[in-house]
Amino acid sequence: SSSSSSSSSNMGSSSSSRSSMGSSDVAVGRPRRVMSPCPFAAQPLPLNSAQIASDSHMTSIYLHESVANCMLWGLFEGHALQYDLQDGTIAKLHLSTDLLAMLIPQLPKTYPHQSVRILTEATTMPLISFSSAQGTTLQASYRTTIFLANETLGNPKIVTMAANLTIQGQLGFDTTIIESAVVHHVVEAALPEMPVNPVQWDNTVAWFIQNYAGLYPLQFIINNFVHTPVTSLITLVNAQSATYDGWFALSGDVQLHT
């Protein structure tokens, strides 16, 4: 037998309980930390009960974009949306000045075979939107700073760039299709002897996203980053996904691991 379950009512009502999160008492002698409510609210699911029940899969999940955006809002407010890439962070990737020769031509000439550090951090809260016409869209603004990883020289800052990014595609459980990636970089600061072409960075980042971001569908993210007793025992098969205005839907059959 199969059943269909909608979490839209629970998700839509979650905002009503958020205001009480900051009212709990804290340890004596410490100031009370007041938590702000998430600024996003859910909207009604544009499907009726008959349409939901017509799905023959064992389970169905409906996620409003406000849930994803509240998570991103919390991560941004907690200063967790940053990534510090250094030599050795990624296995088999030697992050050196030679690797950036196409983007900063003068860098490996001035500092040959030197390690570099690339710090990327969000400057505004990323925003996810779902629509029936365009699928899933992610908008983000971030700042990238490149350092020469040489303590003797004082780990000099090579360049700082600000960027706006928009990714549009079809998010799925087994596969994710990137249909477009638009990036615009602006050089905020750079060493005078290290000219940086921001257009070259635009093209490189867009190419990287279009060719590699699709390798990380929802199944990969869940298997590698969501560690619960449930996810270790079951998997979703025959999965199908769809987007409606403001909503993402995922249906599938549950299979036990043997």
Side-chain angles (χ1 to χ4, degrees):
S1 62
S2 63
S3 63
S4 177
S5 61
S6 171
S7 57
S8 61
S9 60
N10 292 335
M11 292 176 182
S13 62
S14 61
S15 61
S16 63
S17 62
R18 280 193 290 266
S19 60
S20 64
M21 294 175 63
S23 62
S24 59
D25 292 332
V26 296
V28 176
R30 295 182 182 178
R32 175 181 296 178
R33 181 180 179 184
V34 179
M35 299 183 69
S36 302
C38 175
F40 300 93
Q43 302 297 323
L45 178 66
L47 297 176
N48 57 40
S49 57
Q51 291 172 311
I52 295 174
S54 65
D55 191 334
S56 61
H57 289 97
M58 295 174 64
T59 184
S60 297
I61 300 173
Y62 297 90
L63 179 74
H64 190 262
E65 60 189 31
S66 63
V67 177
N69 286 323
C70 281
M71 294 175 62
L72 290 172
W73 172 81
L75 291 171
F76 178 74
E77 291 296 316
H79 307 286
L81 294 182
Q82 60 180 14
Y83 189 69
D84 194 352
L85 181 62
Q86 303 181 43
D87 189 27
T89 301
I90 300 177
K92 300 181 180 180
L93 175 62
H94 180 46
L95 197 60
S96 69
T97 54
D98 305 292
L99 189 64
L100 300 177
M102 294 293 293
L103 298 172
I104 312 177
Q106 196 61 33
L107 182 59
K109 298 177 182 178
T110 306
Y111 302 106
H113 317 304
Q114 295 284 313
S115 296
V116 295
R117 172 191 171 206
I118 302 177
L119 176 63
T120 301
E121 52 190 343
T123 53
T124 61
M125 194 211 84
L127 189 66
I128 288 180
S129 60
F130 302 127
S131 74
S132 56
Q134 296 187 350
T136 301
T137 301
L138 171 65
Q139 295 176 301
S141 297
Y142 60 91
R143 177 175 289 108
T144 298
T145 304
I146 301 177
F147 301 87
L148 187 71
N150 188 316
E151 294 186 3
T152 302
L153 299 177
N155 299 316
K157 184 187 299 184
I158 304 299
V159 62
T160 298
M161 293 177 292
N164 295 319
L165 166 68
T166 301
I167 305 173
Q168 186 269 322
Q170 305 299 324
L171 180 63
F173 186 74
D174 301 306
T175 58
T176 292
I177 300 174
I178 304 298
E179 296 179 343
S180 67
V182 179
V183 194
H184 178 64
H185 286 83
V186 174
V187 177
E188 294 184 328
L191 293 178
E193 66 272 21
M194 299 287 173
V196 177
N197 184 353
V199 176
Q200 184 67 35
W201 279 89
D202 296 345
N203 297 334
T204 300
V205 174
W207 178 88
F208 184 84
I209 292 172
Q210 290 174 328
N211 286 274
Y212 289 97
L215 300 177
Y216 303 97
L218 282 176
Q219 186 177 29
F220 175 89
I221 297 173
I222 293 173
N223 290 344
N224 288 274
F225 299 103
V226 181
H227 303 292
T228 69
V230 174
T231 56
S232 64
L233 295 175
I234 64 174
T235 189
L236 198 66
V237 297
N238 304 320
Q240 293 182 353
S241 61
T243 52
Y244 305 95
D245 290 342
W247 289 84
F248 174 79
L250 178 65
S251 301
D253 300 323
V254 177
Q255 185 178 75
L256 292 174
H257 290 299
T258 57

